[in-house]
Amino acid sequence: MLLDPDHCYHALLSHDHRFDGQFYIGVTSTRVYCRPVCRVKTPKLANCRFYPSAAAAEAAGFRPCRRCRPELAPGKSTMDSAARLAILTARRIEAGDLSQMRLPELAAQLGVSDRHLRRVFQEEYGVSPNAYAQTQRLLLAKRLLTDSTLPVTEVALASGFGSLSRFNSLFRSCYRMAPSDLRQQPVQDTAPDAPLRFELSYRPPYDWATLRDFLSHRCIPGVEHWEGEVYRRSVRLEYQGQTHQGWLQVQPMPGRPSLLLQLGPGLARAIPPVLIRVRQLFDLCCNPDEIDAVLGTLAENQPGMRVPGSFDGFELAVRAILGQQVMVKAARTLVTRLVARLGDPLPDAGPVTHLFPSAATVAATAPEVLGELGILRRRSACLIALAEQVANGQLLLRPGGDLPRTLQQLQAIPGIGPWTAQYIAMRALSWPDAFPAADVGLYQALGCRDARQTEQISQAWRPWRAYAVMHLWHRHADH
């Protein structure tokens, strides 16, 4: 990625949050790198070097600013094909995937060769994928050392380092300080079982109210809970060969373009995938100005609309199948019954009481059992077929996979048509150009009679049609 120094310096002078996470500034006089929103004394242009990623700044010998904290910056969002491939790779790396597989395996899941992946990643981020992964581990460790009371050994393990000595060595060589140097300021809550706290930044404007209403209207009792502005949910995920379970809580931070995330102690060893999944759920990497400019008049009265993602792709896909041709309330009733029957209890998690059933559990469930919950026979067969493919690893329902292949796999399952596949792509795969053209709510909003008409109209909103869908659905909130 080529960066124009004059444009970057102008953005630095403005401290505009729209540029946060888009580039970083290395200051030669201090050897520190900052975010464009940093409020320290602005350096001279002659002393500034501009980098497309934190990893590139660190590779050039700069260490992170302790005031603006580059680890808090939002991620990137773009629809240029090569850049998007690099960004999806970065998100997979941030989720800790390179600690569980080699780069050729990751490239295969993305549907490209590892040589092509290395090339486009280097062009976008200025470093190799492995160097980027190392920077992400170090920045997460810096974050935990600053904001938590976890012992240094636990910080090293939670950040993805295999040994304490390797962690100490890299931290000292890259940041020119010992990990313990960041522990000079006490954190607020020192209880051993206190939740871990993380600040997750976004680029304003952010239409939180619409996103909150959409998610709360569809939340699964027992698995999710909304109280005012606070969202809480149960979590179970596989990471580094282990199953982790617990709870998380998210709420806005007053006066700041950030959300506050709290994690229960059971998730302390699975922080990277949890952070990236929460970012996807709340669409925190979105660049609203870029999107709203394409949507034009559709977005002018409600800027900053987000597309609600999902924390778990299988959970979202089940919800989508059970929501076919029924109202939101009816689908929610069916999912609630499914959780009560097949979900595992989660003790000591407050208002969330159950974990969503795993794909393996649903795959092993007899169709008659699902029928007893009021699920039609055809949908029961569809759920079981979906669960089997997810459980055996054939179907990957997360951002950063081979999208055309995933859509093809979904629609090959009897009972999943174009509407369901596009809805899953929109929310579980975070595909910003997804468009469920046969949606009744879109017909009503656009005054159309069939999918062909809505598809034709939608071409003006490419490549951000999923955001157009949210605006149109919001006009028909009963959808």
Side-chain angles (χ1 to χ4, degrees):
M1 171 184 282
L2 297 177
L3 296 173
D4 182 280
D6 291 330
H7 288 169
C8 290
Y9 192 71
H10 181 74
L12 173 62
L13 292 174
S14 70
H15 302 296
D16 194 327
H17 282 277
R18 293 176 299 174
F19 301 102
D20 195 10
Q22 303 283 16
F23 66 91
Y24 297 83
I25 307 98
V27 183
T28 57
S29 57
T30 61
R31 304 307 300 173
V32 167
Y33 74 94
C34 299
R35 299 157 64 185
V37 296
C38 191
R39 291 290 177 176
V40 299
K41 183 179 179 180
T42 305
K44 297 178 180 178
L45 175 59
N47 293 336
C48 294
R49 303 293 181 269
F50 302 99
Y51 299 95
S53 67
E58 293 195 8
F62 295 92
R63 64 183 186 276
C65 174
R66 295 176 67 172
R67 180 166 178 177
C68 71
R69 301 182 59 189
E71 68 269 21
L72 303 183
K76 294 185 178 182
S77 174
T78 185
M79 277 298 295
D80 172 76
S81 58
R84 178 165 178 79
L85 173 61
I87 290 166
L88 288 173
T89 303
R91 292 182 186 174
R92 295 287 296 269
I93 292 172
E94 290 164 16
D97 283 21
L98 281 191
S99 66
Q100 305 182 87
M101 66 179 73
R102 297 174 61 247
L103 189 64
E105 296 175 81
L106 178 56
Q109 289 190 0
L110 292 165
V112 297
S113 69
D114 66 322
R115 180 179 179 182
H116 178 64
L117 184 60
R118 291 175 192 275
R119 180 178 62 81
V120 299
F121 195 92
Q122 183 79 37
E123 289 175 357
E124 180 68 21
Y125 287 95
V127 292
S128 69
N130 287 325
Y132 187 90
Q134 177 176 290
T135 297
Q136 292 304 309
R137 288 192 290 267
L138 285 169
L139 288 176
L140 176 56
K142 177 180 177 293
R143 193 176 212 182
L144 292 171
L145 289 166
T146 303
D147 295 339
S148 80
T149 58
L150 286 176
V152 174
T153 301
E154 286 293 314
V155 168
L157 294 173
S159 304
F161 291 94
S163 71
L164 181 61
S165 59
R166 172 67 173 161
F167 166 61
N168 282 327
S169 174
L170 274 174
F171 201 93
R172 287 178 179 274
S173 64
C174 292
Y175 294 165
R176 297 188 285 281
M177 67 174 76
S180 57
D181 291 344
L182 290 174
R183 282 284 164 86
Q184 295 175 356
Q185 298 295 327
V187 294
Q188 285 186 329
D189 197 337
T190 57
D193 59 347
L196 298 170
R197 291 179 169 85
F198 298 91
E199 179 180 342
L200 303 179
S201 299
Y202 56 79
R203 299 178 189 89
Y206 190 109
D207 187 354
W208 167 261
T210 299
L211 183 75
R212 176 203 61 209
D213 292 347
F214 184 94
L215 291 175
S216 62
H217 193 42
R218 291 159 177 79
C219 81
I220 304 169
V223 174
E224 302 174 288
H225 179 78
W226 279 90
E227 184 174 353
E229 303 296 307
V230 180
Y231 172 74
R232 195 176 180 98
R233 70 159 293 133
S234 62
V235 172
R236 174 171 50 201
L237 52 79
E238 301 292 326
Y239 182 61
Q240 296 185 335
Q242 295 183 328
T243 300
H244 306 266
Q245 62 184 48
W247 58 268
L248 63 80
Q249 182 172 296
V250 181
Q251 63 195 92
M253 299 184 73
R256 304 177 71 168
S258 303
L259 301 182
L260 172 64
L261 167 66
Q262 298 185 66
L263 304 182
L267 300 177
R269 292 285 183 90
I271 293 171
V274 171
L275 291 181
I276 198 67
R277 290 188 187 203
V278 173
R279 287 189 179 278
Q280 290 160 0
L281 173 59
F282 291 97
D283 197 12
L284 299 184
C285 295
C286 166
N287 187 342
D289 285 348
E290 179 182 10
I291 295 166
D292 291 352
V294 173
L295 300 188
T297 57
L298 187 63
E300 64 183 4
N301 294 326
Q302 209 155 12
M305 182 80 77
R306 296 307 203 263
V307 174
S310 69
F311 188 86
D312 180 270
F314 174 68
E315 176 187 303
L316 187 280
V318 170
R319 173 69 177 74
I321 291 168
L322 294 178
Q324 293 170 345
Q325 299 179 334
V326 299
M327 299 298 290
V328 170
K329 184 177 180 181
R332 186 178 177 186
T333 298
L334 291 176
V335 181
T336 303
R337 291 174 185 169
L338 184 73
V339 169
R341 183 68 174 267
L342 301 180
D344 294 326
L346 182 67
D348 304 321
V352 293
T353 58
H354 285 75
L355 298 160
F356 193 84
S358 68
T361 298
V362 175
T365 302
E368 294 77 12
V369 173
L370 298 180
E372 293 171 2
L373 304 178
I375 301 173
L376 299 177
R377 181 180 303 175
R378 186 182 178 191
R379 290 208 180 94
S380 295
C382 181
L383 288 177
I384 292 171
L386 172 81
E388 288 172 346
Q389 292 197 28
V390 172
N392 64 26
Q394 286 181 270
L395 183 59
L396 187 68
L397 294 178
R398 59 178 293 190
D402 186 335
L403 182 75
R405 180 188 173 195
T406 303
L407 290 175
Q408 185 178 27
Q409 287 177 291
L410 284 169
Q411 293 187 75
I413 298 173
I416 295 183
W419 182 93
T420 306
Q422 287 293 316
Y423 185 79
I424 292 171
M426 175 179 164
R427 296 196 55 200
L429 308 182
S430 296
W431 180 244
D433 201 39
F435 191 77
D439 184 83
V440 175
L442 297 183
Y443 291 173
Q444 295 172 348
L446 295 172
C448 296
R449 294 184 179 181
D450 57 42
R452 184 177 179 180
Q453 280 187 294
T454 60
E455 186 72 36
Q456 288 176 341
I457 294 172
S458 75
Q459 299 306 304
W461 301 316
R462 289 195 128 168
W464 307 109
R465 292 188 298 172
Y467 292 86
V469 170
M470 289 304 301
H471 280 281
L472 294 168
W473 278 352
H474 185 62
R475 296 180 181 180
H476 295 266
D478 60 336
H479 173 68

